[in-house]
Amino acid sequence: MLPIDHEDRKEIGKTGEKVSAIGSGTWGIKDREKARKAL
């Protein structure tokens, strides 16, 4: 398993807000079963 760098965050545009560099891209899925299968 690869180590996770919790400090690796990316800024959203020029907002100053930073988020995790890696995401699953499933936030927009409304159907819980489809989200579960995607993960």
Side-chain angles (χ1 to χ4, degrees):
M1 181 178 265
L2 296 174
I4 297 172
D5 181 358
H6 294 283
E7 299 301 316
D8 187 14
R9 301 175 75 73
K10 307 298 180 198
E11 186 174 358
I12 299 174
K14 296 180 181 181
T15 64
E17 186 71 27
K18 292 189 176 185
V19 296
S20 299
I22 299 174
S24 64
T26 58
W27 67 270
I29 299 175
K30 304 291 185 222
D31 183 315
R32 292 179 67 96
E33 183 60 21
K34 286 182 181 178
R36 187 190 67 75
K37 286 179 181 179
L39 292 173

